[in-house]
């Protein structure tokens, strides 16, 4: 066992605060990683505050982890001490069901192990995430980072926001000639815009924040629509092949379903604490439209996404913060005031570690 320093929520209503805990001893297939940066995902906030059902406390959030390998188990072949690596939303899965065999660990029939607020496969111990100084992970769930080291902090959000948008864009074969909408310009949304643009699609960004228009165009959108403006929305009726909805709050889905053309798909990746109002059936049947969902991405696809982003020079637009600023970052995220991902500089954790 090794002593880890981190930040944890002790209850749904309490702010995150310094917390010490133990990581498991390095197993034969494990990689020990010194965490250098960790992104702040809206899922961290949903979980820290028990918005998706009861969370196990203490809860150490964080699943956009990048760092350096400090030790490897005897059976590890993929990584060496000193490698730059990433860890995303999963740290394990059953590794024997059909979906795991296909590289779709996120749809593991026996339940994958979330990086935090998850259950270890054998011990069933609660997992603790990346708002901490180090982590021990099975090598199969460790990703190789090939971006230049100076971009490492901006690579962290690819481990969740990147793969969660890349996977559905690939699944629905987005590419040149496709008109693609992205709803919400937050952490996921801004990665969705960059990646869909890099795949060659004509990207339209839907936002509730008119002040984000210029940024959306700079990030790769060809058009920006203020979704509260019915006139602006109407212009796009029946015209989209695919729309990716990243919004973290309940909202009217009919407004977006009506923008899809025949056989078009609205894919939900945002997971609000309470349900969206149920969509009207007429919007769906009228043009054989589809309403879908997508969960993160498998390990092989996450590596593919990291390599795709390195090749296309894609990183996240980040605002670096100190560990002690995380509670303030959560409040700003709730106000949609994030440009476009907070990333915690883990060297600042030492300044706040309990004596
Ligand atoms: P975020 O950075 O807070 O971005 C969400 C964006 O949604 C905001 O920036 C805002 O964009 C828009 N928005 C917020 N409130 C809204 C409202 N009331 N009505 C309309 N638009 C609103 O959050 P994130 O980290 O990108 O995460 C987004 C959601 O995806 C969260 O629910 C998260 O838990 C979920 N998630 C899902 C997966 C998955 O596998 N499916 C993975 C990771 C995260 P504008 O200002 O542009 O309107
Ligand atoms: Zn996330």
């Amino acid at each position: 066992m090794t002593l880890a320093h981190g930040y944890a929520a002790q209850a749904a209503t309490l702010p995150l605060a310094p917390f010490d805990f133990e990581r498991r001893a390095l197993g034969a297939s494990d990689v020990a990683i010194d965490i250098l940066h960790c992104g702040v995902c809206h899922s961290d906030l949903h979980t820290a505050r028990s918005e998706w059902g009861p969370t196990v406390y203490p809860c150490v959030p964080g699943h956009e982890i990048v760092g350096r390998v400090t030790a490897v188990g005897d059976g590890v072949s993929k990584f060496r001490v000193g490698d730059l690596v990433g860890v995303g939303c999963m740290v394990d899965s059953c590794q024997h069901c059909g979906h795991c065999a296909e590289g779709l660990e996120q749809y593991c029939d026996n339940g994958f192990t979330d990086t935090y607020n998850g259950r270890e496969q054998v011990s069933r111990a609660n997992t603790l995430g990346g708002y901490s100084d180090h982590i021990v992970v099975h090598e199969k769930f460790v990703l190789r980072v090939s971006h230049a080291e100076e971009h490492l902090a901006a690579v962290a959000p690819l481990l969740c926001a990147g793969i969660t948008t890349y996977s559905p864009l690939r699944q629905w074969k987005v590419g040149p000639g496709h008109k693609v909408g992205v709803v919400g310009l937050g952490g996921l949304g801004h990665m969705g815009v960059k990646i869909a643009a890099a795949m060659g699609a004509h990207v339209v960004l839907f936002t509730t924040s008119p002040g984000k228009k210029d940024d959306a165009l700079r990030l790769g959108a060809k058009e920006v629509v203020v979704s509260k403006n019915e006139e602006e929305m109407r212009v796009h009726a029946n015209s989209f092949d695919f729309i990716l909805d990243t919004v973290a709050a309940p909202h009217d889905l009919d407004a977006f379903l009506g923008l899809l053309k025949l056989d078009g798909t609205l894919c939900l990746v945002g997971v609000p604490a309470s349900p969206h109002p149920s969509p009207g059936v007429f919007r769906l049947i009228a043009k054989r439209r589809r309403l879908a969902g997508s969960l993160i991405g498998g390990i092989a696809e996450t590596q593919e996404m990291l390599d795709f982003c390195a090749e296309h020079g894609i990183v996240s637009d980040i605002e670096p913060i100190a560990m002690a600023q995380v509670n303030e970052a959560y409040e700003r995220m709730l106000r949609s005031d994030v440009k476009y991902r907070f990333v915690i500089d883990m060297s600042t954790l030492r300044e706040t570690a309990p004596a």
Side-chain angles (χ1 to χ4, degrees):
M1 307 271 240
T2 50
L3 183 67
H5 304 292
Y7 254 53
Q10 297 285 351
T13 51
L14 290 174
L16 274 68
F19 172 64
D20 282 356
F21 58 100
E22 285 187 326
R23 293 285 189 198
R24 68 167 184 256
L26 194 73
S29 304
D30 283 341
V31 176
I33 302 161
D34 205 350
I35 301 177
L36 298 173
H37 309 276
C38 185
V40 177
C41 178
H42 208 113
S43 305
D44 301 353
L45 185 161
H46 290 304
T47 308
R49 299 185 179 178
S50 281
E51 289 181 357
W52 288 340
T55 292
V56 178
Y57 296 99
C59 171
V60 177
H63 59 204
E64 293 184 340
I65 297 166
V66 288
R68 194 180 295 284
V69 174
T70 54
V72 295
D74 291 342
V76 169
S77 57
K78 277 170 63 189
F79 299 99
R80 284 194 290 188
V81 171
D83 286 351
L84 288 180
V85 294
V87 177
C89 305
M90 299 183 283
V91 287
D92 207 349
S93 69
C94 85
Q95 298 190 33
H96 57 71
C97 73
H99 293 135
C100 284
E102 277 182 272
L104 297 170
E105 298 88 350
Q106 76 275 33
Y107 304 120
C108 172
D109 284 334
N110 300 301
F112 69 85
T113 303
D114 286 275
T115 302
Y116 60 82
N117 197 45
R119 295 253 161 244
E120 298 277 6
Q121 291 291 314
V122 178
S123 72
R124 310 309 289 167
N126 184 41
T127 53
L128 300 169
Y131 296 3
S132 57
D133 58 359
H134 74 283
I135 192 164
V136 177
V137 181
H138 191 293
E139 70 166 328
K140 281 194 183 165
F141 289 79
V142 178
L143 288 311
R144 187 169 298 286
V145 171
S146 55
H147 285 79
E149 187 166 350
E150 74 224 58
H151 299 307
L152 196 60
V155 168
L158 303 184
L159 275 306
C160 173
I163 184 59
T164 302
T165 50
Y166 181 91
S167 184
L169 291 168
R170 274 276 181 258
Q171 176 67 25
W172 274 273
K173 300 185 170 45
V174 159
H178 288 174
K179 185 173 175 184
V180 171
V182 174
V183 188
L185 197 64
L188 266 58
H190 94 290
M191 290 312 309
V193 168
K194 288 188 185 208
I195 293 170
M199 289 175 175
H202 177 96
V203 181
V204 181
L205 185 273
F206 295 93
T207 184
T208 58
S209 310
K212 293 181 182 174
K213 267 191 165 178
D214 289 346
D215 280 347
L217 296 172
R218 176 179 57 78
L219 295 167
K222 288 280 187 284
E223 301 176 66
V224 182
V225 173
V226 176
S227 52
K228 289 173 179 164
N229 182 324
E230 285 179 24
E231 277 303 307
E232 282 188 46
M233 292 288 277
R234 199 168 303 135
V235 173
H236 292 276
N238 306 324
S239 68
F240 281 86
D241 297 281
F242 183 73
I243 300 178
L244 188 65
D245 188 332
T246 74
V247 172
H251 61 279
D252 172 29
L253 301 181
D254 281 333
F256 295 102
L257 285 169
L259 304 187
L260 295 171
K261 65 187 194 189
L262 181 70
D263 289 332
T265 299
L266 171 63
C267 179
L268 307 179
V269 289
V271 190
S274 53
H276 297 296
S278 182
V281 174
F282 278 109
R283 289 284 163 93
L284 288 166
I285 65 170
K287 291 229 166 349
R288 201 162 56 192
R289 295 171 173 127
R290 294 146 197 211
L291 180 59
S294 181
L295 178 67
I296 49 175
I299 294 300
E301 194 174 46
T302 305
Q303 189 63 63
E304 179 189 306
M305 176 277 309
L306 282 170
D307 297 344
F308 174 92
C309 288
E311 201 180 300
H312 288 82
I314 295 174
V315 291
S316 176
D317 282 30
I318 66 164
E319 184 175 334
I321 59 168
M323 186 70 254
Q325 291 174 286
V326 70
N327 295 301
E328 186 191 327
Y330 279 10
E331 293 311 314
R332 284 185 52 194
M333 195 155 58
L334 281 175
R335 297 196 297 268
S336 301
D337 176 23
V338 43
K339 291 189 174 169
Y340 281 90
R341 196 56 134 190
F342 295 113
V343 174
I344 303 163
D345 175 352
M346 279 305 155
S347 68
T348 63
L349 186 58
R350 283 189 287 277
E351 296 153 21
T352 52

